[in-house]
């Protein structure tokens, strides 16, 4: 049961991260547009900012549910079905909209728009069609449905005279009827779910800064399991992160609310409390505190080599918001350090919320950009340097104290002082780096690799036989920040170059298959 759950969680987290990765890029672009639209900017600048902002706001943020549907369906589908899954994803999404609207009309459940439109009625307009308002939950649900159905029934064979309608064409027929039933049933089920969500949101928001502590604490604690996506994704993109009406339009989720406020910065008088989830020093000041503690506690003769390893990881965290290459240097070495890190992470969000810093940042880049988007009376940006120093110092002293008192053998403290990182070539042709060959060899060879995909920082691999995995190769010969072993599900922490690494691994696997005798 546990393995089945972990497999399902791993598959879902791999699928959900694909469309979300584009949201980070959208956020940076919209932040720049918000600055172009400031009152002090010239008319031409405002017009350009407005033009681009409206395109992305309506085309990306406004249609996030549809994007999730197609993205998740495609990511979940087996390689041979991915194109058909994408097509079925948008077909299913549209079928739901029309079926749901038809049932609401037939049963006289259509809500009437008031002074605030459909806001607060439990219904909304999607592609101009009035339907039950499920937000991104609709896209997530339908994306999972399509991915499951395609994988389950995609190999169906029919009589030779009906063969043009076999496979995914048969799946289309099945999905159509399932979607219609789902569209009907959701008109009765979703209001109950929506009420439960509202109750959870009220409980969270009334807990004040304590709620932000537990959010930050759990965010880090769940990272090694790959389950942190289940925490931040609903907070960022669903009503669990709050609901706000801005410029006459309703927005769900902390990140969507922030982007809407960016687009209407001149009209905002108070920042929505959900922005506290987005004001995160976890990739800015905390990595500096950790790195300095690891360097300080290393043996003097090893500090130069330790710095050579730590500086790139801190830079990656600060510029790209990717902290895993640094965190996995100590995660598996000392779970106690990881637990302490999770506490400090939560405390940093607690402090940030307490002092009222209300702008979005998870990298140094968007912290700098977004600091100019709102007046300091709203965002309290002047407090950022102070909290930066406080949280970095807090992380440093916690780590230094634990490492010294408990004599934890962190980077550079090993008795032999060995920090060599050169790889040995396991096998293969000279045109491929030893790193790539070692990854494939460590995973049990090309025939043992069932699927491989990447998220922000990790190679996520499913293998056929876990007994063929060679952990010695993966841990000793592969240059990675860490290896997460979940039986048949292996995660290799690479860092920001993970996508290029995956492409090389796939190319090497194709080479091995093509050169077999």
């Amino acid at each position: 049961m546990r393995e089945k759950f972990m497999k399902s969680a791993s598959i879902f987290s791999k699928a959900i991260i694909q469309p979300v990765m584009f949201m980070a890029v959208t956020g940076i672009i919209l932040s720049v547009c918000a600055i172009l639209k400031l009152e002090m900017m010239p008319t031409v600048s405002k017009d350009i900012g407005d033009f681009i902002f409206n395109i992305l706001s309506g085309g990306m943020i406004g249609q996030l549910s549809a994007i999730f549907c197609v993205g998740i369906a495609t990511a979940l589908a087996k390689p041979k079905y991915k194109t058909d899954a994408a097509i079925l994803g948008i077909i299913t999404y549209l079928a739901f909209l029309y079926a749901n609207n038809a049932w609401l009309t037939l049963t006289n459940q259509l809500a009437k728009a008031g002074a605030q439109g459909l806001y607060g009625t439990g219904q909304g307009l999607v592609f101009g069609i009035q339907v039950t308002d499920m937000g991104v939950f609709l896209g997530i649900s339908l994306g999972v449905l399509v991915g499951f159905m395609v994988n389950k029934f995609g190999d169906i064979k029919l009589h030779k005279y009906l063969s043009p309608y076999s496979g995914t064409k048969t799946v289309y027929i099945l999905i159509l009827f399932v979607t219609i039933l789902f569209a009907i049933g959701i008109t009765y089920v979703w209001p109950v779910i929506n009420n439960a969500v509202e109750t959870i949101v009220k409980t969270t928001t009334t807990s004040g800064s304590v709620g932000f502590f537990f959010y930050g604490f759990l965010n880090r604690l769940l990272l090694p399991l790959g389950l942190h996506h289940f925490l931040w994704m609903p907070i960022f993109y669903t009503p669990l992160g709050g609901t706000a009406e801005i410029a006459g339009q309703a927005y769900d989720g902390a990140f969507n609310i922030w982007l809407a406020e960016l687009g209407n910065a001149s009209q905002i008088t108070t920042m929505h409390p959900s922005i506290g989830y987005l004001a995160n020093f976890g990739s800015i000041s905390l990595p500096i505190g950790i790195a300095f503690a690891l360097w300080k506690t290393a043996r003097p003769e090893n500090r130069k080599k330790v710095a050579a390893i730590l500086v790139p990881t801190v830079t990656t965290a600060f510029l790209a918001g990717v902290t895993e290459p640094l965190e996995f240097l100590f995660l598996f070495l000392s779970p106690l350090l990881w637990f302490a890190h999770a506490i400090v992470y939560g405390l940093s969000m607690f402090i940030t919320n307490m002092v009222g810093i209300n702008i979005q940042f998870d990298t140094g880049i968007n912290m700098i950009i977004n600091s100019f988007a709102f007046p300091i009376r709203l965002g309290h940006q002047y407090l950022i340097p102070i909290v930066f120093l406080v949280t970095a110092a807090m992380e440093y002293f916690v780590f230094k104290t634990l490492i010294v008192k408990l004599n934890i053998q962190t980077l550079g403290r090993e008795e032999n002082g060995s920090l060599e990182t050169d790889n040995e070539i396991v096998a293969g042709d000279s045109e491929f780096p030893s790193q790539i060959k070692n990854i494939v060899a460590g995973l049990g060879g090309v025939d043992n690799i069932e699927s491989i995909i990447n998220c922000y920082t990790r190679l996520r691999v499913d293998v056929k036989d876990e007994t063929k995995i060679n952990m010695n190769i993966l841990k000793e010969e592969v240059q990675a920040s860490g290896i997460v072993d979940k039986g048949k599900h292996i995660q290799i922490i690479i860092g920001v170059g993970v996508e290029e690494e995956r492409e090389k691994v796939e190319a090497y696997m194709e080479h091995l298959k093509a050169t077999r005798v």
Side-chain angles (χ1 to χ4, degrees), residues 335-381:
L336 178 61
L337 275 181
W338 183 259
F339 187 79
H341 172 54
I343 292 177
V344 175
Y345 199 101
L347 284 173
S348 71
M349 298 203 72
F350 174 86
I351 294 170
T352 303
N353 185 255
M354 280 284 289
V355 300
I357 298 176
N358 282 319
I359 66 165
Q360 184 268 340
F361 58 87
D362 52 15
T363 69
I365 294 175
N366 63 6
M367 178 179 69
I368 295 170
I369 294 174
N370 291 339
S371 291
F372 295 99
F374 288 95
I376 58 174
R377 63 182 174 80
L378 295 179
H380 299 147
Q381 295 93 317

Side-chain angles (χ1 to χ4, degrees), residues 32-34 36-37 44-54:
V32 174
C33 290
L36 294 176
K37 293 171 60 179
V44 175
S45 172
K46 293 179 183 177
D47 290 342
I48 293 173
D50 239 355
F51 182 73
I52 299 175
F53 191 97
N54 290 336

